Amino acid sequence: MPPTPEKVAHAVAALGLRSLRLDSSDPTLVRAFLYSNTTLLLTIPNQMVPPLAANRSNALRWLYVHVVPFYPRTKISTISVGNDPLESSPDFSTFLLPAIRNLHLSLRDLGIRKISVSTTFSFISVITTPFPPSSAQFLEPALDTVVRPLLQFLRDTNSSFLVNLYPYNLYKIRSEIPIGFPLFQEHPFGFRDDLTTGVRYRNLFDMMVDAVISAMAVAGYENIPLIVTETGWPSFSTDPTEIDANPVYAELYLKGLLCHLRSGKGTPLRKEGVSETYIYELLDKQMRKGRNWGILYPNLTAKYKYIQFSGSYCRGFFDMLIMAVGQFLVFAFLHGNGSFSLL
């Protein structure tokens, strides 16, 4: 059985985490963080997007169940309308912006102005090419029907662009990428140059982030804050051909990512870096088929004994540790110049 909301809240407190992303936004889980110092990022399920777009009263109804009974006693920073909804159904393109606007207006009707609204995309679903980053653009027809109007909304409301970004998945489909590049392993010849910008990349994470930044700039919105809502490396796969899904590589990726983000160096095209990064996920799933991405086993014991998810290391520091939970699957979140959290 998955852990109870109370056990999840206790685990978050024990790890010293100060923020969470709830992928299911279960009200019982939101309630578990009443009067805590934990800030939540909520997610509305994809199947709710068309009803929210159809009528603002549906948006109000969702808020009355998931937000109003708890806020501000439970801290909530952002609501994502769907998680990669265009991948689950391209038909959602006509509903997504109306749903986002209805939720935003409903929050204003309730006098709530400190919760931002956005949606989450998958890197592979919306970006044309990861390299060179300067050549990246948003795919059509999503660019004109969804992405550009969304970017205007995000600029108007001072909100962030949310993207799921997995170097592991890109490495799997691009055989020319050496394994050290996505794992933050620095070698004398472990780099790729963008000849257009003259930028040198030493890890795949930065290259993918800058591809999104370049695509936003081409669309005319280069200064929108960027949040990486999912990233990680699987420690196990039931597919015997996925030999790179192993705990050694997973630990290398997490260590490398944390060290890189805590260094405060940002990316070549955005020196301040991404605003937040969520590591997928907190708990392994008990499953018959698929991959395990968790940093904890299902019984809440630690998988990686030599990774500090609180405190500081790598000759750096971080200000805040954040955690995000989705259906008891938790991501890790890094805030700004090195602050860290989990999802």
Side-chain angles (χ1 to χ4, degrees):
M1 296 295 294
T4 64
E6 291 73 23
K7 287 185 177 180
V8 172
H10 178 76
V12 170
L15 289 169
L17 308 177
R18 292 172 54 187
S19 185
L20 329 176
R21 178 184 170 197
L22 303 183
D23 196 35
S24 64
S25 302
D26 185 341
T28 61
L29 200 50
V30 178
R31 187 189 307 277
F33 291 92
L34 285 169
Y35 302 108
S36 74
N37 292 323
T38 302
T39 300
L40 305 183
L41 188 158
L42 306 183
T43 305
I44 296 177
N46 291 340
Q47 63 267 27
M48 284 294 300
V49 172
L52 292 181
N55 197 315
R56 197 191 300 182
S57 63
N58 292 329
L60 278 168
R61 189 175 297 112
W62 189 91
L63 291 170
Y64 274 118
V65 173
H66 298 84
V67 174
V68 173
F70 317 111
Y71 182 83
R73 295 170 298 162
T74 295
K75 299 176 182 178
I76 301 170
S77 63
T78 305
I79 300 173
S80 175
V81 179
N83 186 5
D84 197 13
L86 298 186
E87 177 69 15
S88 63
S89 175
D91 295 338
F92 281 176
S93 60
T94 58
F95 301 112
L96 194 53
L97 263 296
I100 290 171
R101 291 193 180 101
N102 279 345
L103 190 71
H104 172 77
L105 293 172
S106 296
L107 285 166
R108 297 301 180 266
D109 291 343
L110 294 168
I112 300 173
R113 300 184 176 275
K114 293 185 178 180
I115 298 178
S116 62
V117 181
S118 187
T119 189
T120 303
F121 296 100
S122 165
F123 178 92
I124 292 178
S125 325
V126 295
I127 300 296
T128 55
T129 179
F131 194 84
S134 58
S135 298
Q137 298 184 43
F138 290 110
L139 289 167
E140 296 286 3
L143 172 61
D144 291 325
T145 59
V146 176
V147 177
R148 189 175 278 119
L150 173 68
L151 290 171
Q152 182 62 52
F153 171 85
L154 298 178
R155 174 184 285 176
D156 294 341
T157 59
N158 195 28
S159 301
S160 300
F161 188 83
L162 315 181
V163 63
N164 298 335
L165 187 152
Y166 286 95
Y168 175 80
N169 290 340
L170 188 58
Y171 164 76
K172 291 297 293 180
I173 63 177
R174 299 287 291 266
S175 59
E176 73 273 18
I177 299 175
I179 185 61
F181 197 59
L183 294 179
F184 296 92
Q185 303 301 295
E186 293 197 10
H187 300 288
F189 301 103
F191 62 84
R192 296 189 71 177
D193 291 333
D194 187 330
L195 299 179
T196 302
T197 59
V199 166
R200 174 162 291 181
Y201 289 92
R202 295 193 176 274
N203 65 77
L204 189 53
F205 180 85
D206 279 357
M207 194 173 77
M208 295 173 75
V209 167
D210 277 1
V212 178
I213 291 169
S214 293
M216 289 195 292
V218 170
Y221 299 87
E222 57 185 338
N223 295 317
I224 303 293
L226 178 64
I227 294 177
V228 176
T229 40
E230 291 182 25
T231 191
W233 196 281
S235 60
F236 173 77
S237 173
T238 56
D239 182 348
T241 66
E242 290 196 80
I243 59 174
D244 299 307
N246 64 70
V248 174
Y249 285 177
E251 186 167 1
L252 283 172
Y253 180 76
L254 293 175
K255 280 184 176 179
L257 178 66
L258 296 181
C259 289
H260 178 57
L261 292 169
R262 288 168 180 167
S263 73
K265 295 178 180 177
T267 71
L269 296 187
R270 184 167 286 186
K271 297 305 180 184
E272 69 274 21
V274 295
S275 302
E276 304 168 358
T277 301
Y278 289 83
I279 297 173
Y280 183 85
E281 57 190 335
L282 178 65
L283 302 177
D284 278 345
K285 298 183 289 288
Q286 294 181 341
M287 60 185 185
R288 295 182 179 179
K289 187 175 182 180
R291 301 166 180 164
N292 277 331
W293 301 77
I295 64 166
L296 301 178
Y297 293 111
N299 63 0
L300 297 176
T301 58
K303 183 186 294 184
Y304 305 110
K305 296 181 179 179
Y306 302 106
I307 297 180
Q308 276 189 305
F309 291 101
S310 62
S312 62
Y313 67 106
C314 301
R315 301 181 300 278
F317 71 93
F318 69 98
D319 337 39
M320 139 180 10
L321 194 58
I322 304 179
M323 186 127 197
V325 185
Q327 292 181 339
F328 309 109
L329 316 175
V330 184
F331 302 67
F333 161 98
L334 290 151
H335 175 61
N337 293 324
S339 62
F340 175 72
S341 24
L342 287 180
L343 162 76

